[in-house]
Amino acid sequence: MTGGLFDVAVVGAGIHGAGVAQAAAAAGHSVVLIEQYAGPARGTSSRSSKLIHGGLRYLEQAQFALVRECLEERALLLRLAPELVRLTPFHLPVYAAGDSVWRLRAGLTLYALLARCGPGARFSSVPRSRWHDLDGLETRNLRHLFRYFDAQTDDAALTRAVIASAEALGAEVHYQTALVAAQVDTRRAVLQCESPAGSRELAAGVLINAAGPWVAEVIAKVSPPQRPVPLSLVAGSHVLLPGRLTHGAYTLRARDARVFFALPAGSHVLVGTTELEFRGDPAGVAPTPMERAYLVDNFRSAFPGHPAAASEPLDSFAGLRVLPAQTGPANRRSRETILRSADGNNGRLLSIIGGKLTAYRATADKVLRRVGHLLPNRRRRADTRDLPLRPVD
């Protein structure tokens, strides 16, 4: 590290840590980002469903502000990162025993309105004459088939691109650097770090905890001691099946009425996701046999005519969502990002709890607004709404 004093220190090189580092550096601040692993996006930011989307199903929970924000960010990423984010047609089948056609049409209309006529805002109905040609989709009892648009990405590649942008703006990024302890008071945060090069102390005006599933562990390392954070870790598992989806992606209802996706992933099919409470070391999260079977069985029911219906998974992976500790099913909990200030330090420690891949840039803007009064005035270098993002070799 070139110096021991920074305006902003960020812990965690997932998509939210990358976004905060980019936003702070663009605002002209000196930034250091530390990550315990040897590279970025080693946790959930490489194990998501890899969707840049508004979250159509969140309309059922009346999370309108979240959906609108994500759709605005989707449009922005399609413009800033055309090599990393691409529109994909999604198919939404309506079966006799499932959702009502008028209710889904109303939801898609609202989705289009919230997209404000941006890219991919329109939806349509697929004619019955084309149903037989859709990747082996089950057509028995199929009443209607909608087609709308959302976007896909490589989540790890997007994270690397945002970090590269932050570095180009002057941010320092240090991998294999673990936070051992942090002393946070009303003036600054002092971090004790360990890396293969040895111990190092650095100080910053604010400390942003963007550690994802490790957010509570970072808070536990802070002095003075902080109140425990009431949160849950929820595992979302995916399986990768052989074969292609040639007509796009599919938004489907599982037998238990949960939503799942079948997504084109190069020459394979990505199926996800589950929502299972997780306890233990976040580094050890992996799909359970029950989750793998759940995803495979539901894919086979939805696509009896697809070659992958007779195949076993080529691979599987799981990521962890950080959700508020609430009662009830995980799929009914709010996906709104929570920014939690620590006790008694005038906000110089701020933790990001939850958050969506799609809205990482908007979340970073909120973080900077929250801590802006604690930072020195600097000359802005750029606006993240105008910074192109390109793949990193």
Side-chain angles (χ1 to χ4, degrees):
M1 299 179 189
T2 59
L5 180 62
F6 298 86
D7 294 337
V8 179
V10 184
V11 178
I15 190 61
H16 287 100
V20 171
Q22 183 202 36
H29 295 295
S30 56
V31 181
V32 62
L33 170 63
I34 64 171
E35 164 60 46
Q36 63 180 331
Y37 290 115
R42 295 300 176 91
T44 303
S45 293
S46 60
R47 303 174 187 176
S48 73
S49 296
K50 309 181 190 305
L51 294 177
I52 300 297
H53 65 145
L56 179 61
R57 70 187 180 99
Y58 301 141
L59 293 178
E60 295 180 334
Q61 302 157 27
Q63 297 184 52
F64 304 125
L66 174 64
V67 174
R68 182 174 63 252
E69 177 182 73
C70 286
L71 287 170
E72 289 173 354
E73 293 299 308
R74 184 189 73 178
L76 194 61
L77 283 169
L78 285 166
R79 175 170 63 84
L80 297 178
E83 297 173 90
L84 293 164
V85 179
R86 63 193 182 280
L87 274 180
T88 300
F90 277 67
H91 299 87
L92 178 59
V94 188
Y95 291 97
D99 291 298
S100 66
V101 173
W102 73 264
R103 193 171 74 88
L104 286 175
R105 188 184 299 277
L108 287 166
T109 299
L110 178 57
Y111 202 60
L113 290 172
L114 291 172
R116 299 178 180 178
C117 299
R122 294 184 178 181
F123 71 94
S124 60
S125 296
V126 178
R128 185 181 294 268
S129 60
R130 292 179 52 198
W131 290 1
H132 71 282
D133 191 37
L134 288 176
D135 296 304
L137 180 72
E138 176 63 83
T139 57
R140 289 181 301 174
N141 299 316
L142 183 60
R143 296 166 53 207
H144 200 88
L145 187 63
F146 289 107
R147 186 175 187 260
Y148 68 102
F149 287 86
D150 260 320
Q152 291 182 275
T153 190
D154 178 327
D155 47 4
L158 180 61
T159 302
R160 290 193 296 270
V162 177
I163 287 179
S165 175
E167 289 182 298
L169 291 164
E172 290 190 23
V173 182
H174 298 276
Y175 299 112
Q176 292 184 290
T177 301
L179 177 69
V180 176
Q183 180 75 38
V184 185
D185 57 31
T186 58
R187 297 179 300 113
R188 62 180 183 172
V190 179
L191 286 65
Q192 304 295 330
C193 303
E194 288 284 349
S195 72
S199 301
R200 179 65 188 263
E201 180 179 285
L202 62 92
V206 295
L207 170 59
I208 308 301
N209 176 7
W214 291 270
V215 64
E217 293 183 18
V218 169
I219 291 174
K221 295 176 180 179
V222 172
S223 296
Q226 305 295 309
R227 288 173 295 137
V229 178
L231 56 81
S232 296
L233 298 181
V234 176
S237 291
H238 303 76
V239 296
L240 195 66
L241 297 173
R244 292 178 178 270
L245 292 175
T246 59
H247 291 273
Y250 296 81
T251 302
L252 304 148
R253 290 281 185 185
R255 293 169 181 164
D256 59 2
R258 286 192 65 255
V259 172
F260 76 102
F261 296 105
L263 306 165
S267 59
H268 303 307
V269 180
L270 181 65
V271 184
T273 178
T274 60
E275 290 180 310
L276 188 67
E277 295 278 351
F278 177 83
R279 291 177 176 82
D281 181 359
V285 65
T288 65
M290 177 187 70
E291 289 175 294
R292 285 168 59 101
Y294 172 90
L295 293 170
V296 171
D297 289 347
N298 277 291
F299 178 84
R300 288 171 175 167
S301 294
F303 294 92
H306 194 282
S311 303
E312 293 300 317
L314 299 170
D315 195 8
S316 62
F317 61 89
L320 288 172
R321 303 179 183 91
V322 184
L323 300 179
Q326 301 171 349
T327 57
N331 66 329
R332 304 299 299 179
R333 298 183 200 173
S334 172
R335 293 301 197 269
E336 297 280 358
T337 307
I338 297 171
L339 301 181
R340 183 183 186 273
S341 295
D343 311 319
N345 60 39
N346 198 28
R348 291 189 184 273
L349 168 63
L350 189 68
S351 298
I352 302 173
I353 298 172
K356 302 291 294 176
L357 169 66
T358 304
Y360 80 87
R361 195 208 61 84
T363 297
D365 274 357
K366 293 173 188 175
V367 168
L368 265 290
R369 288 197 296 271
R370 184 78 165 262
V371 300
H373 67 288
L374 300 170
L375 296 171
N377 291 325
R378 304 292 191 198
R379 182 177 179 180
R380 175 170 287 278
R381 298 188 182 100
D383 185 335
T384 58
R385 297 183 64 88
D386 298 319
L387 286 172
L389 298 171
R390 298 183 175 89
V392 177
D393 294 334

